[in-house]
Amino acid sequence: MKLRRLQKALRLDLMTLGSLSEVFREPSLRRSEHSMDVVEVIHSLTSLYERLEEERGVLINIPLCVDMCLNWLLNVYDCSRNGKVRVLSFKTGLVCLCSSDVQEKYKYLFKQVSGPGGQTDQRHLSMLLHEAIQIPRQLGEVAAFGGSNVEPSVRSCLRMAPGKPAIELSDFVEWMSLEPQSVVWLPVLHRVAVAESAKHQAKCSVCKQCPIKGFRYRLGLSPSASL
């Protein structure tokens, strides 16, 4: 729920992976291990929000969105405020919170750390999962997802290709589809978004509203299967 609130506040719930990909094609954003300074981040974010406003036909307070998204990215990936964010960090944060299909996100993120042969090794996989876990960490929820140490997740993922030093895209997508603890927050975020528009042909026991739209639950109990 924290992630969903953040996603909406930054207007990333309106942004598609296709729009992100267009901006990510800039030469300065092609090398995942390259570091961006604040000016470069602001430039890229401004391009993203201008494209979003044009594509969606909605009025967006671009300076405010850029400022909020910049501060969020720095809080997640530059805690010491050195004014630098890696391209991989920048892409991971935005891709995870955009509105596209979760499977497409898995594929895009994997390609950011894969080599010419379409495979990624332990080191690069560890980099990707480390970037991803920083998102719930910044919200104070990292303990629920196994802590900040991603090495157990890396080893678990590599077991999808026994005896091999690297994994392919299909191995990674299959592993992510199992919803391992360190990244389960990402598919759950998508289910939360879908549940918001679900309608239940039932009456609320408190306010008597019928049908119930969004989450359906009883006080003191967990949300129902609407997730």
Side-chain angles (χ1 to χ4, degrees):
M1 296 302 291
K2 289 181 182 179
L3 282 172
R4 181 60 174 161
R5 180 68 186 91
L6 176 66
Q7 185 185 43
K8 288 181 175 181
L10 300 179
R11 307 304 294 271
L12 295 177
D13 62 316
L14 302 177
M15 201 170 288
T16 65
L17 185 55
S19 296
L20 291 174
S21 299
E22 288 297 320
V23 174
F24 290 166
R25 288 196 178 100
E26 293 182 13
S28 62
L29 297 178
R30 291 181 181 175
R31 291 186 295 125
S32 293
E33 296 188 35
H34 169 71
S35 290
M36 306 168 67
D37 60 30
V38 170
V39 173
E40 290 176 301
V41 174
I42 290 174
H43 172 74
S44 296
L45 289 176
T46 301
S47 298
L48 282 169
Y49 283 111
E50 287 177 346
R51 176 181 288 272
L52 176 62
E53 188 175 57
E54 180 180 348
E55 290 179 348
R56 292 283 187 168
V58 295
L59 185 62
I60 293 175
N61 188 333
I62 294 176
L64 177 62
C65 286
V66 169
D67 186 56
M68 290 197 303
C69 197
L70 169 65
N71 274 282
W72 172 66
L73 287 167
L74 293 176
N75 286 337
V76 175
Y77 295 114
D78 183 28
C79 300
S80 58
R81 281 298 198 270
N82 294 315
K84 295 283 187 180
V85 173
R86 283 198 302 184
V87 169
L88 181 60
S89 306
F90 180 73
K91 290 181 176 180
T92 301
L94 295 178
V95 169
C96 284
L97 292 196
C98 79
S99 66
S100 296
D101 177 75
V102 70
Q103 294 280 327
E104 294 305 311
K105 293 183 181 185
Y106 298 159
K107 294 174 184 177
Y108 185 87
L109 291 172
F110 180 84
K111 290 175 182 177
Q112 303 314 300
V113 293
S114 61
Q119 296 182 322
T120 192
D121 57 19
Q122 182 174 350
R123 174 176 169 269
H124 288 90
L125 180 60
S126 180
M127 285 172 51
L128 176 59
L129 296 182
H130 175 77
E131 301 293 355
I133 199 65
Q134 301 312 306
I135 296 174
R137 180 201 59 77
Q138 190 268 331
L139 294 173
E141 301 290 348
V142 72
F145 304 105
S148 298
N149 182 13
V150 298
E151 290 311 309
S153 293
V154 173
R155 292 193 294 271
S156 170
C157 187
L158 289 173
R159 284 198 289 270
M160 302 302 293
K164 297 180 180 179
I167 59 168
E168 298 180 349
L169 173 61
S170 57
D171 300 319
F172 181 72
V173 171
E174 182 181 355
W175 180 73
M176 290 290 282
S177 297
L178 298 174
E179 300 187 3
Q181 185 181 11
S182 61
V183 288
V184 69
W185 53 270
L186 184 51
V188 170
L189 172 61
H190 281 255
R191 291 201 286 274
V192 167
V194 170
E196 287 180 354
S197 59
K199 285 188 177 180
H200 307 275
Q201 296 303 317
K203 182 187 292 186
C204 176
S205 60
V206 178
C207 70
K208 310 304 179 186
Q209 178 178 320
C210 182
I212 297 173
K213 184 177 180 180
F215 290 105
R216 177 188 173 192
Y217 59 90
R218 289 183 182 276
L219 294 177
L221 300 178
S222 301
S224 75
S226 58
L227 273 179

